[in-house]
Amino acid sequence: AQSVTQPDIHITVSEGASLELRCNYSYGATPYLFWYVQSPGQGLQLLLKYFSGDTLVQGIKGFEAEFKRSQSSFNLRKPSVHWSDAAEYFCAVGPPEYSSASKIIFGSGTRLSIRP
Amino acid sequence: GAVVSQHPSWVICKSGTSVKIECRSLDFQATTMFWYRQFPKQSLMLMATSNEGSKATYEQGVEKDKFLINHASLTLSTLTVTSAHPEDSSFYICSASRDNNEQFFGPGTRLTVL
């Protein structure tokens, strides 16, 4: 079955510290991979996505993610977090043949808190 | 570009009434729109997928007679929660996609049923 696992429910890091949010997926083939961010009471904003090519993907707001096929992982990283990064982060997958009508499966989310 | 709006942003209604939520793609034509439901501190669960002019495809366990979806145009989809009950209280989020293989999400609608 297709699934996305975010093992960390809640992470707290100090402002200025580095961040890594974990994401593992289970899929029959290499899926399309996404990271979204959701601020409280808001919709989702796409941070970055991986379809193919370079396995290190750069996104908005200084985020990057690395696709590791051997580990079925797509971890999100940021070298130095800011207080405004406090939010809920969702990893998601779409099918390899992803199109505009394709469904996205979301992970359970990781809540990021920033310590002043 | 690629802005999706939802209206209303929040709504409170009495049990037994129906509530309509609109989802609009403001600056692009959406080939497909999706409706999600999100309970507090939980992930998004896809409710249904809709394409303009055709019937929505509902996910398993979602009552199509309770959650009516109309996709009348390439820029508008509506979700009507019929005979709402307190257990329908949730955060409803729509998304719209176009040819570039990305879903754009609306800001969500908070529904509270008393």
Side-chain angles (χ1 to χ4, degrees):
Chain A
Q2 302 149 1
S3 65
V4 182
T5 302
Q6 292 181 249
D8 304 305
I9 298 174
H10 183 203
I11 285 181
T12 300
V13 299
S14 298
E15 189 168 15
S18 64
L19 169 71
E20 182 169 32
L21 301 182
R22 295 183 291 167
C23 173
N24 292 93
Y25 65 89
S26 175
Y27 218 93
T30 300
Y32 280 21
L33 296 157
F34 308 86
W35 273 101
Y36 287 90
V37 60
Q38 183 182 34
S39 297
Q42 301 293 315
L44 275 68
Q45 182 182 23
L46 180 67
L47 288 175
L48 47 79
K49 57 190 177 185
Y50 173 76
F51 290 167
S52 63
D54 191 347
T55 56
L56 185 62
V57 182
Q58 301 298 319
I60 63 171
K61 303 184 179 185
F63 286 92
E64 66 177 27
E66 185 172 14
F67 169 64
K68 293 185 177 180
R69 186 191 308 273
S70 61
Q71 299 177 19
S72 296
S73 69
F74 189 56
N75 294 349
L76 182 72
R77 301 194 294 248
K78 186 170 185 177
S80 176
V81 298
H82 186 262
W83 65 266
S84 60
D85 293 325
E88 189 85 19
Y89 291 80
F90 293 97
C91 181
V93 300
E97 67 283 3
Y98 187 79
S99 72
S100 59
S102 296
K103 303 175 188 178
I104 294 178
I105 300 172
F106 286 87
S108 54
T110 297
R111 183 161 61 96
L112 175 64
S113 297
I114 306 298
R115 189 184 302 118
Chain B
V3 178
V4 177
S5 71
Q6 281 184 240
H7 178 80
S9 55
W10 59 269
V11 56
I12 301 173
C13 69
K14 294 181 179 180
S15 184
T17 60
S18 295
V19 174
K20 179 184 286 188
I21 302 170
E22 291 186 350
C23 176
R24 292 181 184 273
S25 55
L26 297 184
D27 52 3
F28 68 100
Q29 291 187 325
T31 50
T32 306
M33 287 185 168
F34 303 83
W35 286 96
Y36 296 85
R37 183 173 182 176
Q38 185 181 31
F39 289 105
K41 298 185 179 181
Q42 294 189 26
S43 188
L44 280 73
M45 300 301 296
L46 180 65
M47 299 175 65
T49 304
S50 73
N51 294 288
E52 182 260 343
S54 61
K55 291 184 178 180
T57 302
Y58 290 81
E59 294 300 297
Q60 191 172 7
V62 178
E63 300 175 59
K64 61 179 66 176
D65 294 332
K66 180 167 186 61
F67 299 99
L68 301 179
I69 293 174
N70 183 276
H71 195 156
S73 74
L74 285 172
T75 60
L76 173 65
S77 177
T78 60
L79 168 68
T80 301
V81 183
T82 62
S83 186
H85 290 282
E87 57 266 29
D88 298 324
S89 298
S90 189
F91 195 53
Y92 292 88
I93 301 176
C94 74
S95 70
S97 64
R98 57 185 187 188
D99 295 339
N100 71 343
N101 297 339
E102 181 177 334
Q103 288 188 28
F104 299 94
F105 286 81
T109 297
R110 172 85 50 201
L111 170 62
T112 301
V113 184
L114 302 177

